[in-house]
Amino acid sequence: MGAPAEAESLLLIAEQSSTEVAEERVLLGQRLVAEGKLAARDLDRALTAQRETGGLLGRVLVRLGLVSELDVARALAAQMQLPLVLADAFPAVTPLIEQVAPAFFRTHRILPIDLRDEALQVVMATPQDEFALRALRLASGLKVVPAIGVESEIDAALARALEGEGREDGDAEESDAASASDFVEHLRDLASEAPVIRLVNVLVSRVTDLRASDIHLEPFDDGLHVRYRVDGEIDTYEVIEPRLAAAVVSRMKLLAQLNIAERRLPQDGRIKTRVKGRELDLRVSTVPTVHGESVVLRVLDRASMRFSLAELGFSPDTLHRFEALLARPHGILLVTGPTGSGKTTTLYGALSKLDANALKILTVEDPVEYQLDGVNQIHVHPQIGLTFASALRSILRQDPDIIMIGEMRDGETAQIAVQSALTGHLVLSTLHTNTAASAVVRMTDMGVERYLITSTVNGVLSQRLVRRLCEQCRRPAELPAEIVASSGLARFLQPGQSPMSAPGCAACRGSGYWGRAAIHELLVVDEPVREAILRGADASQLHEIARKGGLVTLYEDGLRKVAAGVTSLEEVLRVTQDQSDG
């Protein structure tokens, strides 16, 4: 057969395969419904999701947690009248074919399991892919006999087979076999137990009721501790029994498309799901501990995200000065604070304030948490050499007006940020320091000369998050006069005004708080501050000079919000205990 005829034949096969797969999607769903594995309503929901996102229906059903991978494989095997081969029947040594590139097996999820009499038996996740089968026949010159397998089991077996090529150490092979056996047990628990799938769905869906920002799955002797962080406070919600712990962790890793065979190294991934009509993006992080893998899912809920600076808790005077710094054509504007203090959200709010249609805005982030309209966002990948510094060097050739750096982590990044500001760019970034004045010291520690700091840094915003009092049960509080006086709250209260407290109610689940607001201190680098920086003043000296110039400290801004009934004095003291003496 000539090349044109062969190409025409392959094209015809591809068209036929596409039609067959479309029919298979509906038939597979109907079969699962008939077997009681799937509700008709859930099938309709999955078909809608499949039309929007593409892909095979079976994968969509598994991703949504409606059925297990094993359920899909069994239904497909019955429908196509092909044998189902599970991991325990895979051979110890995979018969790879020299004429076929390993990438082909990975891409099409095809695992060779037996080669004899010019016939190659393979296990496939999608044996209805006639195009892949035909390509394998042509490349190998063998008769290909397909069977059906569980997709994750095939992926794991291929990873072991392809990573183990050329290994001659028998002890290492025995160790790999033992590890693989444990791994298959995890997979089998995950794939075959519908209660695990339902449990994971409940754990994830609970975030909407609790308004949680994080889910923590922490393994200990007595089981997997499930903890939720709500309004910055973390609390244990339940403990999953030890026999289910590995299965729950494996399920989370599968949803995040992580390598569940790798349990010795940290991994990062992402889960996109819909919970009670809301699109949720979950950032997944795993780390190995002595009792197993600890998993943290950070909830990124775009629907509840507020990018308006006014809604983030800025006091009017601070907001006015901050917006004035944003309006400058060039220079560096820093946001500082500990992890989880809302720095990135404030930067997003600042970017949303700018006109993306009139300005070229580029960001370098690790990772990109939320996508902003009209903003070019770059996700760094240090493992392939795309670091903050290398990305910044490249984007300067993109002729941006505004550059946002997710975090100024090292001297090289700081130097490039300074050079960018000197060449006419406005640079926004974050630093991990406790006070605004400490940012100057941190930059000098990174190797930036003080004269360059005074030439480029326009201002530093330090912030913390305080819990808002629940509006349902909030009421005036009677504080002793000595506490009002000693805390400094008296000067922010109007005559006859009293602070508020909240005893807790059903709406706030007894906590007395609902949501969070930011408190800020804004250091503007004006002439007195510049002179102090050049003189080599330390952070405390810079802080005092800025206060004389009108800086409102974090603690004072917190007291203003206590007086306004936004939060409680206890909450401000808790968050700013290192600031309250200032």
Side-chain angles (χ1 to χ4, degrees), residues 16-321:
Q16 291 171 342
S17 175
S18 176
T19 303
E20 290 167 2
V21 168
E23 293 173 354
E24 173 270 327
R25 285 171 180 161
V26 179
L27 293 174
L28 176 67
Q30 292 172 349
R31 182 177 290 272
L32 288 167
V33 171
E35 292 175 354
K37 302 289 187 182
L38 183 67
R41 178 173 54 86
D42 288 336
L43 173 60
D44 292 338
R45 183 159 63 97
L47 286 169
T48 300
Q50 185 266 336
R51 283 193 293 270
E52 293 176 355
T53 63
L56 295 173
L57 178 63
R59 288 177 183 159
V60 174
L61 290 169
V62 172
R63 195 185 315 130
L64 292 174
L66 299 173
V67 294
S68 70
E69 286 184 288
L70 186 57
D71 289 335
V72 171
R74 282 175 174 156
L76 197 56
Q79 178 186 315
M80 300 189 69
Q81 297 183 339
L82 289 175
L84 175 63
V85 180
L86 299 179
D88 54 3
F90 292 172
V93 179
T94 302
L96 297 176
I97 311 301
E98 291 183 3
Q99 302 95 315
V100 182
F104 177 85
F105 291 118
R106 285 198 192 96
T107 301
H108 296 283
R109 291 186 166 94
I110 299 176
L111 175 70
I113 59 172
D114 190 38
L115 174 58
R116 67 180 71 180
D117 300 328
E118 299 299 311
L120 177 66
Q121 186 176 359
V122 298
V123 179
M124 303 176 63
T126 54
Q128 65 271 43
D129 188 352
E130 186 61 34
F131 188 81
L133 284 170
R134 180 64 180 271
L136 182 57
R137 291 190 194 104
L138 290 173
S140 66
L142 300 169
K143 177 184 178 182
V144 179
V145 182
I148 291 178
V150 175
E151 186 171 297
S152 56
E153 293 183 347
I154 294 171
D155 285 344
L158 282 171
R160 292 194 301 275
L162 298 176
E163 288 170 6
E165 284 185 287
R167 181 180 294 167
E168 298 177 359
D169 188 336
D171 291 339
E173 289 180 354
E174 290 178 7
S175 174
D176 281 356
S179 176
S181 176
D182 291 341
F183 159 71
V184 169
E185 285 303 316
H186 283 296
L187 276 180
R188 185 173 295 121
D189 288 341
L190 175 67
S192 62
E193 294 185 16
V196 172
I197 295 175
R198 287 195 295 269
L199 176 57
V200 169
N201 288 343
V202 168
L203 295 180
V204 173
S205 64
R206 198 180 282 153
V207 300
T208 57
D209 296 328
L210 296 177
R211 301 178 295 106
S213 60
D214 305 273
I215 309 172
H216 296 251
L217 306 178
E218 301 171 344
F220 293 102
D221 279 335
D222 60 339
L224 193 67
H225 291 215
V226 181
R227 310 174 76 196
Y228 292 87
R229 188 182 296 278
V230 180
D231 293 337
E233 296 291 295
I234 190 168
D235 192 22
T236 301
Y237 200 88
E238 66 180 290
V239 178
I240 297 172
E241 56 186 305
R243 71 177 184 87
L244 293 176
V248 168
V249 169
S250 294
R251 176 70 186 164
M252 290 291 191
K253 290 174 71 176
L254 271 180
L255 291 173
Q257 298 182 340
L258 300 179
N259 179 6
I260 59 176
E262 179 56 77
R263 285 166 283 159
R264 302 163 301 169
L265 296 173
Q267 295 187 71
D268 295 295
R270 219 163 183 151
I271 300 173
K272 290 190 176 181
T273 186
R274 178 180 287 272
V275 175
K276 298 183 179 178
R278 291 163 59 183
E279 292 288 345
L280 291 185
D281 196 355
L282 307 175
R283 268 176 49 197
V284 183
S285 170
T286 71
V287 295
T289 71
V290 292
H291 295 290
E293 286 184 286
S294 173
V295 182
V296 176
L297 297 89
R298 183 175 181 190
V299 183
L300 305 178
D301 183 0
R302 180 64 189 257
S304 67
M305 199 66 192
R306 295 191 301 268
F307 293 127
S308 166
L309 290 176
E311 293 180 20
L312 293 177
F314 274 86
S315 298
D317 56 342
T318 305
L319 179 59
H320 177 74
R321 297 168 77 193

Side-chain angles (χ1 to χ4, degrees), residues 495-513:
Q497 185 183 15
S498 64
M500 308 288 280
S501 68
C505 62
C508 60
R509 298 180 180 270
S511 69
Y513 297 96

Side-chain angles (χ1 to χ4, degrees), residues 569-582:
L569 181 60
E570 295 83 4
E571 181 69 4
V572 171
L573 289 170
R574 179 185 70 84
V575 171
T576 65
Q577 51 190 324
D578 60 335
Q579 305 285 313
S580 56
D581 59 352

